[in-house]
Amino acid sequence: MNLQDLLKKIEEKTYTVGIIGLGYVGLPLMYTFHKEGMPVLGFDIDKSKVSNIQSGTPYIKHLGQEMMQSLSQSDRCAATTDFSRLTEADAVLLCVPTPLNQYREPDMSYVISTTETVAHHLREGQLVILESTTYPGTTEEVMIPLLEKHSGLIAGIDFYVAYSPEREDPGNPNFNTAKIPKVVGGHGEDALQLAQALYDTAIVQTVPVSDTKTAEAVKITENVFRAVNIALVNELKVVYAKMGIDVHEVLDAADTKPFGFMKFTPGPGLGGHCIPIDPFYLTWKAREFQENTRFIELAGEINTHMPQYVVEQTTKALNTHKKAVNGSKVLLVGLAYKPNVDDMRESPTFELFHLLEELGADIAYYDPYIPTIPPTREHAHYTGKQSIEWNQETVAGFDAVLISTDHSDIDYAQLAEWSDCIIDTRNAMKSVTPKNGQHIFKA
Ligand SMILES: NC(=O)c1ccc[n+]([C@@H]2O[C@H](COP(=O)([O-])OP(=O)(O)OC[C@H]3O[C@@H](n4cnc5c(N)ncnc54)[C@H](O)[C@@H]3O)[C@@H](O)[C@H]2O)c1
């Protein structure tokens, strides 16, 4: 099938979009294409995700029931663990994890194994797009050689390859997948045209760039920008606190400047699958060019120190109440890495757990989004731990309450009624005036 025929198929919405990796990125992406009338076919090695899609059972809380039901009830949607069905897809979009390994270097194993699987089923005319965040050069240097080697086909002649970073912001009520412009870089003009035509069916705007490595660099740049700016406000928070200045008041006032300033918010450290990790993909790649990424390293240093700073503030808070950390009961409020989602990957709350326990504190947590801590590779010993019940008797039984994530459905005024010692890393208590003898510490 030639390019014109493929473009026509997209236009007629008979072009099947295959998505590999049905997590925080892949699931809403599949839904976005499906909503616009495209046939979709989801793949995952995780059987439970596949059966949840088939039965319409939500497995990512903020995405809700409606999305799952519309997918499960549709004859244009299927989910499977059978990768031989990849041949049914016209495009194959890869949304698999790109974590760091134990040496904080890119762990490309998911991208490599998925690409190999795709390569074994690759057929002429297929479009393969990597959406996972990665270092510039991945598509050209890692993916294309594997696709060509295992299929015997040639990229740009027999099949098409593109890179388009996912910019999903889970839980953001203003921007879902369809509303976020999509940057696209193609391996050649035809691949770019095809990928653009595909995204144009479902996404508000596509932004073409010269090639795949430029598109890869765009995503990394966005996340480096966030990591560096978050580190900056975290540093300012520490300095201003010593000067008796409230950093949040400063940032809110600075944010009234209509140009030249963008507000970032300090917190207990960096969390999530992206910001603490992605910048180090560039750090690693830069070494190949004998270059250092000093801003990224410094930002990493400041951000990873934040939980330690919060623990120091917690120690001081308990001290004000003539209590030691050792033996104190401390409640951590919010386990997710950001408000209103159930995603706890890289959450700094785990580090707070760990550091405070090391000092002898007795720790519990409350998170309405994470009633029980599921199994994780990094925090296996917390598996099965349960969120406390949110009531006065339980909360008042803690010597200190440390707010690490400001979920919006928590009643912070009520919390102020229940606890005399609150350490607030998110400015969640901003509208609460402390009572006599009560201390609300900003950390
Ligand atoms: N979560 C975000 O907010 C976000 C935002 C932008 C970009 N990204 C990037 O998108 C990519 C995916 O992130 P995510 O948050 O969706 O991850 P996720 O862990 O939620 O989902 C990944 C899915 O891939 C599946 N998977 C793993 N190996 C597989 C394989 N070999 N074959 C098929 N499926 C496989 C997993 O079972 C899982 O369901 C990452 O590169 C991430 O950096 C994430």
Side-chain angles (χ1 to χ4, degrees):
M1 199 177 270
N2 66 27
L3 181 64
Q4 292 316 317
D5 292 336
L6 292 167
L7 290 168
K8 191 154 174 270
K9 244 185 136 180
I10 291 178
E11 204 183 306
E12 290 170 349
K13 300 196 170 164
T14 55
Y15 189 87
T16 301
V17 185
I19 314 256
I20 306 187
L22 302 170
Y24 285 89
V25 163
L27 180 61
L29 187 66
M30 180 159 94
Y31 174 71
T32 304
F33 281 114
H34 178 263
K35 199 161 167 251
E36 293 306 320
M38 302 293 264
V40 292
L41 183 52
F43 297 87
D44 207 295
I45 47 170
D46 182 346
K47 287 194 187 94
S48 70
K49 288 198 175 87
V50 166
S51 60
N52 282 332
I53 292 173
Q54 288 163 344
S55 64
T57 313
Y59 57 89
I60 296 178
K61 194 170 175 185
H62 69 270
L63 296 177
Q65 184 85 41
E66 203 186 306
M67 177 183 293
M68 301 308 288
Q69 290 207 330
S70 88
L71 291 174
S72 79
Q73 287 162 6
S74 168
D75 55 5
R76 274 186 296 106
C77 169
T80 182
T81 53
D82 175 5
F83 287 79
S84 69
R85 291 190 63 188
L86 277 168
T87 51
E88 294 171 36
D90 294 295
V92 180
L93 278 47
L94 278 65
C95 308
V96 293
T98 43
L100 294 172
N101 66 19
Q102 58 178 323
Y103 305 107
R104 299 197 63 74
E105 291 171 345
D107 173 0
M108 299 304 290
S109 59
Y110 299 90
V111 170
I112 290 172
S113 69
T114 315
T115 305
E116 285 173 342
T117 307
V118 173
H120 286 118
H121 301 284
L122 196 67
R123 59 169 173 79
E124 283 192 22
Q126 259 181 336
L127 168 65
V128 181
I129 308 180
L130 179 62
E131 291 230 356
S132 304
T133 308
T134 186
Y135 58 82
T138 306
T139 307
E140 298 280 336
E141 296 162 17
V142 179
M143 277 189 79
I144 291 180
L146 284 173
L147 290 170
E148 291 183 338
K149 182 176 138 196
H150 295 292
S151 70
L153 301 173
I154 311 279
I157 296 175
D158 302 319
F159 66 98
Y160 305 93
V161 182
Y163 178 82
S164 180
E166 188 50 64
R167 292 159 137 180
E168 170 79 3
D169 184 15
N172 186 330
N174 302 319
F175 294 100
N176 59 24
T177 308
K179 288 190 187 151
I180 305 170
K182 202 104 175 67
V183 171
V184 191
H187 176 69
E189 275 307 308
D190 289 354
L192 176 62
Q193 195 185 346
L194 195 58
Q196 254 196 291
L198 174 61
Y199 288 121
D200 277 339
T201 60
I203 311 262
V204 63
Q205 186 194 350
T206 47
V207 183
V209 294
S210 309
D211 46 31
T212 54
K213 71 177 178 208
T214 306
E216 288 157 341
V218 171
K219 174 69 188 182
I220 291 279
T221 303
E222 290 166 3
N223 285 355
V224 167
F225 177 80
R226 283 189 62 75
V228 168
N229 279 286
I230 292 169
L232 176 65
V233 289
N234 277 334
E235 185 171 80
L236 293 177
K237 169 180 79 171
V238 175
V239 174
Y240 290 156
K242 289 217 163 149
M243 295 175 174
I245 298 167
D246 179 356
V247 71
H248 297 285
E249 192 181 348
V250 171
L251 293 169
D252 285 344
D255 198 32
T256 59
K257 187 178 175 185
F259 49 87
F261 184 80
M262 184 183 283
K263 187 180 159 191
F264 284 80
T265 314
L270 278 190
H273 185 35
C274 298
I275 315 294
I277 291 171
D278 305 344
F280 293 98
Y281 268 64
L282 185 62
T283 299
W284 177 83
K285 187 66 177 172
R287 281 190 214 122
E288 187 183 315
F289 297 85
Q290 286 81 47
E291 290 297 338
N292 294 314
T293 53
R294 283 178 290 164
F295 265 112
I296 294 174
E297 301 280 5
L298 181 59
E301 210 177 289
I302 293 171
N303 287 327
T304 50
H305 178 68
M306 274 306 120
Q308 187 65 52
Y309 172 77
V310 172
V311 167
E312 283 160 23
Q313 301 311 302
T314 307
T315 309
K316 286 182 192 165
L318 282 165
N319 212 33
T320 311
H321 287 258
K322 301 194 184 332
K323 289 177 183 169
V325 177
N326 195 348
S328 282
K329 286 180 75 187
V330 179
L331 175 66
L332 299 179
V333 174
L335 187 60
Y337 80 90
K338 69 173 187 177
N340 312 329
V341 297
D342 59 0
D343 189 348
M344 40 169 237
R345 290 176 292 176
E346 305 289 319
S347 172
T349 309
F350 278 111
E351 187 60 11
L352 294 171
F353 240 113
H354 168 71
L355 290 171
L356 286 163
E357 274 185 350
E358 219 173 42
L359 293 174
D362 182 4
I363 310 291
Y365 83 95
Y366 172 68
D367 193 315
Y369 286 79
I370 307 171
T372 306
I373 302 182
T376 56
R377 241 185 320 164
E378 307 81 19
H379 313 289
H381 53 294
Y382 293 125
T383 303
K385 201 170 170 70
Q386 291 190 331
S387 169
I388 61 140
E389 293 284 329
W390 188 251
N391 60 51
Q392 181 163 15
E393 196 190 338
T394 312
V395 174
F398 287 90
D399 298 297
V401 176
L402 198 176
I403 302 169
S404 45
T405 312
D406 50 340
H407 288 306
S408 47
D409 47 4
I410 292 176
D411 186 339
Y412 294 100
Q414 189 180 58
L415 172 61
E417 294 297 318
W418 296 348
S419 173
D420 278 342
C421 181
I422 299 169
I423 301 102
D424 181 7
T425 69
R426 300 284 192 176
N427 207 22
M429 305 294 289
K430 55 182 174 290
S431 26
V432 176
T433 314
K435 300 173 294 192
N436 251 355
Q438 184 182 45
H439 293 97
I440 299 176
F441 299 84
K442 295 199 171 176

